[in-house]
Amino acid sequence: MVETLNVDLYDRTDTVNELLARYGVKFGIYKNGTFKEQLFPFDAVPRVIAKEEFAYLERGLKQRVWALNLFLKDIYNEKKILKDKVVPEEFIYASSGYLAQCEGIVPPKGVYSHISGIDLVLGKDGVWYILEDNLRVPSGASYPMIARELCRRSSPRTFQSISVADNRNYAAILKHTLDYVNTGGLTVVMTPGRYNAAYFEHSYLAERMHVPLVTCNDLVVENDYLYFVDYDGKKERVGAVYRRISDEYMDPMNFKKESVIGIPHIFDIYRKGNVALVNAPGNGIADDKGIYYFVPKMIRYYLGEEPILHNAPTYLPYYEADMEYVLEKFDKLVLKDVAEAGGYGVVFGNSMSAGQKEDFIALLKREPRRFIAQEVIDFCDLPILEKEGRVERKADLRAFVLTSEKPVVWKSGLTRFSRNPDSFIVNSSQGGGFKDTWVLNQ
C-alpha cells in the first residue's frame, strides 16, 4: 500500500535533493587538515516502521536511556555499580570519556543525557540490535526533519494518502527538554561556528525553536551567572545552553587551555547549578564502546528488569575467556576501537592480510581495554533509488530519545545507508546517504 501510494514522491527525488542543496543541507568533514563540505544524499524510499513495532522499540529505548542516566549519576557520585563489581573500575577511570572534573556534580533536575542518539540495526533474523549509544553531542535529527518538509512540499498527495506520524514536533520536544532544566533566563544553542561538521543542524534547530544561535563570543560569565550579549551590548541571563561542542573545548579554564571556542568559567557556574549544559559534561563515559558491553547489566542492576532491546553479541578482550574466543574466531568478528566514532576505528577480521592480522593481535594483547569485538550482524538491506533502478543497501537507524520529566522517543529518526554495495558502514563521513523514517499511525 505504502509503495503504491509513494510512487509520486519517488519521481520527485531529484527535486528534493536539489532543494536540499539550495537550503545548504550539508555536513562537513576534515580530511588531511582541510575542511570540506558535501551534500548528504537523500533517498526518497522511506524506511517504514509499523505502529506496533515502533511501540516495542519505544519501550526498549526508554528503558535503556533511563538506565544510562542512572549510571551517569551513580558513576559521578556514589559509585555503587563499582562497589558491587558490576563494572570493573578500570573501565571507568581508563576511559577517555570519563571526566574527573564532574565528580560530585548532579546537573539540574538530575538529567544527564537530555538528547540521546541510539543506533540500531534490524537483523535478517527479525531482531533489532543496539549498535551503540551516543550521549555526548548526538547529531542528525535535522536531516529527516527538513527532508520530510521538502517531501511534503514536493508531493503533498503522498502524505494525504498515508497516515504517517508527523515529525515536525521534534523542535517542540527539544525546546521542552531544554526549558525543563533551564535555571532561569534564555535558552540558547551554542555552536563552535560555521566550520563545524554539523553547523547546518545547529542553525536549523535554533531557528525551529526560536532561540538564539550563539558562539563563545556572544556569551560571558559574570558574577557566577552566564549572559548573552547582543549586538547592542545588552546582556540577558542564560539558563540553558544546548552546546554543540565537545567537553574538552567547552571551558579553557577547566579543560583544554588552548580552546578558543569555549567560555571561560562556564563549567564553574555549571558546578554551582547556575546554568544547565545540555548534554551534561562527562557523558562520554556512558557511550564508550567498552561500557556498551555492560548496559544490559545496568538495566538489571538499576531497574531490576530484563533488557527489552538486545546488544549485538559483544566480547571484551579485557576478560581472558573473551580474549581466547576473539583469537579463535578472529576472522568472523568485527573489531572496534572504543575511543573512535563516525565509522572510524572499525576493522573486519576477514579483511586483514596475514601481516595486518599479526600486528593487530599484538596490539590487542598489549591494549585489551582499547577494543571490543562483535559478531557481524547480518542486518537488513533497504531499497534505494539509483540511476540503474532500485538496489538494496545496508542501513541503520538512529533513534532520538529526549529526556525531561521522563524519556520521550521521537516518532521518526535518521535512517542512514551505505552507497557501497559491499560495505556495512553507513556513516555520512564514510560516504553514506540518508532516508526519512516513517512511523505509521495505524
Side-chain angles (χ1 to χ4, degrees):
M1 179 67 172
V2 171
E3 286 293 312
T4 303
L5 294 171
N6 206 25
V7 172
D8 183 62
L9 177 58
Y10 300 164
D11 291 341
R12 288 164 171 74
T13 297
D14 290 343
T15 301
V16 174
N17 271 295
E18 287 168 9
L19 288 169
L20 289 169
R22 187 182 305 171
Y23 281 98
V25 183
K26 302 177 180 180
F27 65 92
I29 57 173
Y30 282 92
K31 198 165 187 178
N32 300 321
T34 301
F35 179 78
K36 180 183 178 183
E37 276 191 321
Q38 57 193 65
L39 295 173
F40 196 3
F42 171 71
D43 182 76
V45 184
R47 161 171 251 151
V48 179
I49 303 178
K51 180 179 179 181
E52 298 77 13
E53 186 172 21
F54 191 81
Y56 161 76
L57 290 176
E58 194 172 29
R59 291 193 301 275
L61 289 164
K62 288 179 178 180
Q63 179 195 57
R64 189 175 183 96
V65 168
W66 195 248
L68 284 164
N69 267 284
L70 292 172
F71 167 73
L72 284 162
K73 183 176 182 180
D74 184 26
I75 216 65
Y76 284 115
N77 291 276
E78 296 184 61
K79 308 184 194 310
K80 290 181 179 178
I81 202 165
L82 299 185
K83 294 170 185 174
D84 289 338
K85 301 190 183 305
V86 177
V87 178
E89 286 191 7
E90 184 175 339
F91 271 78
I92 303 301
Y93 302 124
S95 171
S96 61
Y98 165 76
L99 291 184
Q101 296 94 326
C102 293
E103 283 291 332
I105 297 177
V106 176
K109 303 289 180 69
V111 181
Y112 286 79
S113 188
H114 312 77
I115 302 104
S116 305
I118 310 298
D119 293 344
L120 310 94
V121 293
L122 177 60
K124 289 184 177 176
D125 57 2
V127 176
W128 284 93
Y129 294 94
I130 304 280
L131 284 190
E132 62 181 51
D133 307 291
N134 299 281
L135 279 70
R136 280 179 260 200
V137 192
S139 63
S142 62
Y143 298 109
M145 287 172 70
I146 193 167
R148 180 82 63 87
E149 179 183 335
L150 296 178
C151 285
R152 283 180 179 277
R153 192 183 306 175
S154 302
S155 179
R157 70 177 185 173
T158 295
F159 295 91
Q160 291 166 0
S161 306
I162 305 171
S163 183
V164 180
D166 195 337
N167 75 350
R168 287 174 288 191
N169 64 345
Y170 183 83
I173 301 171
L174 178 59
K175 182 65 162 56
H176 173 78
T177 301
L178 297 168
D179 288 346
Y180 176 70
V181 295
N182 190 305
T183 60
L186 288 174
T187 290
V188 300
V189 176
M190 182 186 175
T191 177
R194 176 69 185 79
Y195 294 104
N196 181 264
Y199 180 76
F200 163 75
E201 176 156 289
H202 307 167
S203 57
Y204 183 79
L205 292 177
E207 178 187 348
R208 287 293 180 269
M209 290 191 291
H210 306 291
V211 303
L213 177 68
V214 303
T215 69
C216 60
N217 297 322
D218 303 309
L219 301 174
V220 62
V221 172
E222 288 184 358
N223 301 317
D224 282 343
Y225 292 100
L226 182 66
Y227 293 92
F228 168 58
V229 184
D230 70 13
Y231 57 89
D232 280 334
K234 178 185 173 184
K235 294 178 183 176
E236 191 168 354
R237 185 181 164 190
V238 174
V241 179
Y242 180 21
R243 47 113 186 178
R244 297 299 298 257
I245 81 173
S246 302
D247 291 349
E248 61 268 30
Y249 293 101
M250 184 175 53
D251 182 345
M253 308 305 290
N254 285 277
F255 301 103
K256 280 186 178 288
K257 62 182 179 181
E258 64 269 28
S259 173
V260 295
I261 56 174
I263 303 163
H265 300 295
I266 191 172
F267 188 76
D268 297 320
I269 63 169
Y270 164 72
R271 185 187 289 115
K272 293 178 179 180
N274 291 346
V275 70
L277 297 178
V278 176
N279 281 340
N283 277 14
I285 184 58
D287 62 26
D288 180 303
K289 289 181 176 66
I291 293 298
Y292 161 95
Y293 173 90
F294 297 98
V295 177
K297 296 185 179 187
M298 290 178 201
I299 292 170
R300 297 183 186 101
Y301 182 78
Y302 293 116
L303 304 179
E305 300 170 358
E306 281 302 305
I308 296 169
L309 293 171
H310 299 267
N311 274 13
T314 303
Y315 309 95
L316 294 184
Y318 172 86
Y319 292 121
E320 185 177 342
D322 282 15
M323 175 68 88
E324 289 178 6
Y325 182 87
V326 170
L327 296 179
E328 180 186 345
K329 304 290 186 181
F330 191 85
D331 290 344
K332 296 181 179 180
L333 301 174
V334 56
L335 292 301
K336 297 181 179 181
D337 189 319
V338 300
E340 295 283 359
Y344 295 100
V346 177
V347 292
F348 290 82
N350 62 6
S351 69
M352 296 184 193
S353 67
Q356 290 172 329
K357 179 176 175 180
E358 184 179 344
D359 291 343
F360 191 93
I361 288 174
L363 175 61
L364 187 65
K365 289 179 177 179
R366 285 198 308 273
E367 301 181 48
R369 167 63 177 89
R370 181 176 165 182
F371 298 95
I372 64 169
Q374 293 180 322
E375 304 286 351
V376 178
I377 301 294
D378 189 9
F379 57 97
C380 287
D381 302 86
L382 293 180
I384 69 167
L385 300 175
E386 292 281 11
K387 289 180 181 178
E388 64 270 24
R390 186 175 292 213
V391 296
E392 301 281 318
R393 294 290 184 266
K394 296 296 180 189
D396 77 350
L397 170 66
R398 174 164 291 182
F400 292 89
V401 186
L402 291 89
T403 302
S404 49
E405 298 92 340
K406 58 184 180 180
V408 174
V409 182
W410 183 39
K411 288 189 176 180
S412 186
L414 176 65
T415 292
R416 301 173 297 180
F417 62 88
S418 172
R419 290 194 290 166
N420 180 345
D422 301 316
S423 177
F424 281 68
I425 298 177
V426 301
N427 304 73
S428 56
S429 58
Q430 304 289 308
F434 81 101
K435 294 172 170 287
D436 194 1
T437 305
W438 290 8
V439 178
L440 300 182
N441 280 326
Q442 55 189 21

